[in-house]
Amino acid sequence: MATDTLITDPTQRKLRIFALDPSLAAQFGMESIAELTIRVPWEPDLKAGPVGEYIEVVDVDPASSAFYKPVDLNDPRVLAQDGLAPSETNPQFHQQMAYAVAMSSIVHFEQALGRRALWAAHRESNPDGSFKSERFVRRLRIYPHALRDQNAYYSPQKKALLFGYFPTGVTDENNTKDTLVFTTLSHDIIAHETTHALLDGVHPRFNLPFNRDVLAFHEAFADIVALFQRFSYPGVLRHQIAKTRGNLAEENLMGQLAQQFGQASGRRGALRDFLGSKSKAGKWEPKAPNVREISTLKEPHARGAVLVAAIFGAFLKVYRSRTADLFRIATEGTGVLRAGDIHPDLSNRLADEASKTAQYVLQMCIRALDYCPPVGITFGDYLRAIVTADYDFNPDDVYGYRLAIVESFRQWGINPEGMRSMSVEALLWPNGYSAMEEVGVHMGQQDMDSLFNEAQQGDYRLFKPTREGQRELKLKPWNLEGDRAKIWRDADDNAAAMWGWLTKQGKGLDLLPAFGIDYTHDAPRTVYRSESDNLPSIEVHSVRWSTRRGVRGGTATDLVVEIMQRRRGYFDKAVQEKIDASPAVNMPKEDFKYRAGCTLLIDPQKMEIRRVIKTSGTISDNDQLERVRSFLVEGESDPENAFWSGRHGMSAEEPFAFLHKHG
């Protein structure tokens, strides 16, 4: 028997990283958790760089006119040592760390969403700015030494992460002036920027200016992933559990982000601390929920911090609940621990509960992305998305995660618009039948079934329109091993097929009002229209699979469909009203585009519309159009509004570069 038949490829690759930012890792007493070894998916064809299926590390340093030799993680000497040893001065280790942490973030997304991660497509425009084409982006590029600057950001234009390095500007107990700080050695910064790219791949229109929450959500969500990803590292977690005697609401590293960056920038502590802050006297003080704070905040990082605090607060509530019995046992019912270090066995059990809780909360937050409206997201929308996605995934909710989320959001003043109740039941997005009843569309199951010309392919029924030449939906489920380029092409073909079904099938048109889509000649004149029939145009931007295993062991599969419409918007309200009121008025080029639409979750086995997630207003909603106009006009003069950063010497197409400048 050939010996090679007994050897199988490994499933994971072990790589060493800095567990903490280098300045913390170098402190006495932190050496036991200074570095750790993490596992990332094994890529047999991984090339020097590293260059794999998802990521291409390109180590060009323009400021030094240097091109650093790429690390070869398949070198036997590197493999034997679980990667290169952590080093502040070795560029090859910088490449290794960026790759390892970014791949860890990708794994979390794929596990939660049940499909392979795709980066946002590269879009090309015509000279007049109209859409020309788009192409598949296989790899996200990572530049570990792209900038000699106090910055790191995701570039939607380049489809790349650009990390900077800079000299410290202070000398204190943690810093020596003029020593270099490399952002690519911060786990938190790498995970944060990778999450921006992953979120852009799922929702590329979450960068469009609609309200205060849009970019704040991007920042908050990236922080959420970076924070909770750290809880998957048992060594650091056990260390902090022991230090705080199990009370993670006290000052600790688990609630902080980018410690070295913050300290080297002259701050008193980490770049962001979601548990508290230090006073002018240097004393750390816990941060209590403030129901009114969010109404005063405009800057994306500050506003996003409220969303992160709400999520982290919910995590702490569940953690306390899950560990209450351990504290009762350890204290003989008093709930008060004796002075001194807690027992290692208790520390391990508390860390285990904290890790499980954090992992579940992280999966809740990522899974909710498929339950968000396609554009103009608000924090209230995201609350409903988290609650609904978790309800569909885990109806029982034994540990009360959903109640903790709702209570924490309420304590921080985050409420969905127009809701009369903040109960879990009231927050659930409606199903197809509820959405139809809301607009007076009446259909039974038989009527719904007649909308679909059923055909069989494996265990899945298809939308198969009878119109000659019309494309079919490709409903063979995608798995986590499928070819990503084919998955992207299938999603594009599915979008075209769904568009055809919605606009060409007679009964399919009856559903459009339930989806918040205006497909009538009465729509305002500024709504974009089809040249063939002068009806409002409909864009189907995505039809993707979501397959995941529920807590009861069953497999849940959905088609996630995003539908959108566009309307020309003008800063001058009088101009808008004049054009909409008279067909004879010439239509000048718009000042902005107003978008509205919905996300549908469809069960492909039952052919059931499980959820309808509509934007705050329809394309014909003048009140919602006015809200967007007011935000843009008011934000235009705000130097912290990154959407208009082109007025401040930077490209408006690179909002994250402006947002992340100096943290």
Side-chain angles (χ1 to χ4, degrees):
M1 180 182 295
T3 56
D4 60 355
T5 61
L6 302 178
I7 302 174
T8 60
D9 285 340
T11 59
Q12 296 177 320
R13 183 189 301 270
K14 296 180 180 179
L15 293 172
R16 288 187 280 177
I17 66 170
F18 275 119
L20 307 171
D21 288 358
S23 66
L24 293 178
Q27 295 178 11
F28 183 79
M30 304 292 279
E31 61 275 3
S32 62
I33 58 169
E35 66 174 75
L36 58 85
T37 301
I38 63 175
R39 299 170 185 265
V40 300
W42 176 264
E43 296 189 90
D45 298 325
L46 188 68
K47 296 177 175 58
V51 179
E53 171 63 24
Y54 298 88
I55 291 169
E56 177 179 5
V57 179
V58 181
D59 206 353
V60 178
D61 185 348
S64 301
S65 300
F67 185 93
Y68 299 114
K69 181 180 178 181
V71 63
D72 182 3
L73 297 181
N74 284 330
D75 186 307
R77 296 167 296 180
V78 176
L79 283 171
Q81 302 177 69
D82 294 340
L84 300 174
S87 168
E88 290 188 69
T89 59
N90 184 355
Q92 282 73 43
F93 172 73
H94 297 192
Q95 301 159 14
Q96 172 182 298
M97 179 152 176
Y99 169 80
V101 176
M103 286 300 298
S104 294
S105 300
I106 291 169
V107 168
H108 285 299
F109 267 71
E110 292 192 335
Q111 289 176 344
L113 297 178
R115 58 178 178 269
R116 300 202 77 173
L118 300 176
W119 309 116
H122 182 77
R123 297 172 63 86
E124 295 183 5
S125 301
N126 294 309
D128 62 356
S130 61
F131 171 76
K132 180 180 179 182
S133 64
E134 62 181 18
R135 56 184 172 83
F136 173 66
V137 175
R138 181 172 294 279
R139 299 181 184 92
L140 177 75
R141 284 192 169 184
I142 297 179
Y143 296 90
H145 307 101
L147 315 161
R148 187 172 291 180
D149 193 12
Q150 193 174 304
N151 201 359
Y153 65 93
Y154 161 62
S155 167
Q157 298 302 307
K158 298 179 178 69
K159 311 301 177 191
L161 308 184
L162 291 84
F163 293 96
Y165 62 95
F166 61 96
T168 59
V170 295
T171 297
D172 55 26
E173 66 273 16
N174 298 312
N175 297 281
T176 301
K177 196 173 187 301
D178 294 331
T179 56
L180 292 179
V181 174
F182 294 93
T183 60
T184 194
L185 293 182
S186 169
H187 165 276
D188 302 335
I189 293 176
I190 298 169
H192 178 102
E193 302 308 334
T194 304
T195 301
H196 276 309
L198 288 163
L199 179 55
D200 195 35
V202 178
H203 288 293
R205 290 163 187 83
F206 274 16
N207 290 341
L208 301 177
F210 267 70
N211 55 61
R212 291 181 181 179
D213 287 351
V214 172
L215 266 196
F217 176 79
H218 239 290
E219 289 302 308
F221 187 78
D223 280 351
I224 288 166
V225 174
L227 274 173
F228 287 111
Q229 186 168 310
R230 187 188 296 147
F231 280 82
S232 63
Y233 305 143
V236 180
L237 182 54
R238 283 195 296 267
H239 181 277
Q240 294 297 294
I241 289 282
K243 179 182 177 182
T244 62
R245 294 166 54 80
N247 184 5
L248 288 174
E250 294 182 355
E251 182 182 14
N252 69 87
L253 298 177
M254 307 311 291
Q256 300 174 4
L257 278 181
Q259 294 86 358
Q260 185 176 17
F261 189 103
Q263 293 167 356
S265 303
R267 296 174 174 85
R268 293 178 176 271
L271 181 64
R272 287 190 281 283
D273 190 334
F274 297 102
L275 292 173
S277 59
K278 288 187 177 180
S279 65
K280 292 182 179 180
K283 182 181 178 181
W284 186 86
E285 298 175 350
K287 185 175 183 179
N290 183 346
V291 73
R292 296 180 177 85
E293 183 176 7
I294 193 169
S295 63
T296 66
L297 299 174
K298 293 183 179 181
E299 194 277 324
H301 289 100
R303 191 172 180 84
V306 175
L307 177 59
V308 183
I311 296 292
F312 205 81
F315 156 75
L316 290 174
K317 291 176 188 293
V318 179
Y319 165 72
R320 292 191 191 102
S321 175
R322 292 187 61 153
T323 57
D325 59 336
L326 296 175
F327 280 100
R328 284 194 297 270
I329 294 170
T331 62
E332 299 180 346
T334 68
V336 180
L337 290 167
R338 296 176 182 175
D341 294 340
I342 63 176
H343 195 282
D345 289 345
L346 177 59
S347 178
N348 289 337
R349 283 287 290 111
L350 292 173
D352 183 55
E353 291 299 329
S355 179
K356 289 179 180 177
T357 304
Q359 179 71 12
Y360 191 90
V361 170
L362 176 58
Q363 295 288 294
M364 286 178 74
C365 292
I366 299 175
R367 195 181 302 121
L369 293 180
D370 280 344
Y371 286 71
C372 293
V375 69
I377 187 171
T378 65
F379 290 173
D381 292 336
Y382 188 55
L383 169 60
R384 299 189 70 182
I386 294 175
V387 170
T388 310
D390 190 66
Y391 178 87
D392 290 348
F393 174 77
N394 178 21
D396 298 331
D397 193 22
V398 174
Y399 292 105
Y401 284 93
R402 293 193 289 274
L403 287 174
I405 288 282
V406 173
E407 182 178 88
S408 189
F409 271 60
R410 184 169 56 240
Q411 290 173 338
W412 282 99
I414 301 175
N415 307 300
E417 182 181 352
M419 298 298 297
R420 297 183 177 179
S421 170
M422 283 285 282
S423 68
V424 169
E425 181 183 11
L427 291 170
L428 298 177
W429 290 118
N431 58 32
Y433 294 109
S434 297
M436 284 185 278
E437 290 176 359
E438 185 179 325
V439 295
V441 176
H442 303 290
M443 290 186 182
Q445 181 63 53
Q446 185 175 359
D447 296 320
M448 286 291 292
D449 288 342
S450 71
L451 293 176
F452 308 103
N453 181 9
E454 299 172 10
Q456 295 292 330
Q457 180 174 318
D459 296 328
Y460 297 89
R461 290 184 285 182
L462 311 181
F463 298 105
K464 188 177 180 181
T466 57
R467 184 173 178 268
E468 184 177 353
Q470 197 168 320
R471 283 184 271 190
E472 300 178 8
L473 278 177
K474 300 176 180 179
L475 294 188
K476 185 177 180 180
W478 306 329
N479 55 42
L480 295 180
E481 288 77 40
D483 179 76
R484 292 169 62 242
K486 184 178 186 304
I487 290 171
W488 182 82
R489 289 193 298 270
D490 286 351
D492 196 47
D493 289 344
N494 284 346
M498 178 62 77
W499 177 85
W501 178 77
L502 284 170
T503 58
K504 305 302 179 185
Q505 292 291 104
K507 289 187 177 180
L509 298 176
D510 296 339
L511 285 175
L512 292 178
F515 301 159
I517 303 298
D518 189 337
Y519 197 62
T520 67
H521 289 287
D522 295 331
R525 183 170 175 247
T526 49
V527 173
Y528 277 75
R529 296 174 182 270
S530 169
E531 294 181 359
S532 59
D533 54 19
N534 202 38
L535 282 167
S537 58
I538 298 175
E539 303 167 2
V540 179
H541 286 290
S542 177
V543 178
R544 56 185 183 262
W545 275 97
S546 177
T547 304
R548 51 189 173 267
R549 187 172 297 278
V551 294
R552 295 176 177 175
T555 300
T557 303
D558 283 318
L559 275 175
V560 185
V561 181
E562 291 183 357
I563 307 170
M564 207 177 306
Q565 294 182 290
R566 294 179 299 160
R567 182 176 176 184
R568 297 170 181 85
Y570 299 92
F571 292 145
D572 189 331
K573 184 178 179 181
V575 171
Q576 186 91 43
E577 294 175 344
K578 182 178 181 180
I579 296 172
D580 280 329
S582 174
V585 176
N586 291 331
M587 197 178 304
K589 181 176 175 56
E590 69 271 15
D591 296 317
F592 64 96
K593 288 184 175 67
Y594 167 59
R595 291 172 169 86
C598 70
T599 299
L600 306 178
L601 273 71
I602 300 174
D603 183 332
Q605 291 181 312
K606 298 179 181 179
M607 279 307 167
E608 178 181 79
I609 301 172
R610 291 201 315 101
R611 299 293 177 191
V612 179
I613 301 113
K614 294 185 281 189
T615 53
S616 297
T618 67
I619 201 65
S620 301
D621 188 336
N622 289 322
D623 291 338
Q624 187 62 25
L625 173 64
E626 175 58 26
R627 293 190 189 99
V628 175
R629 178 190 294 113
S630 297
F631 167 73
L632 293 174
V633 172
E634 293 173 3
E636 189 173 9
S637 59
D638 185 351
E640 294 182 324
N641 183 344
F643 295 121
W644 300 96
S645 55
R647 294 175 177 265
H648 305 283
M650 300 185 70
S651 171
E653 295 179 342
E654 294 285 14
F656 298 110
F658 185 77
L659 275 173
H660 293 187
K661 182 75 171 173
H662 307 306

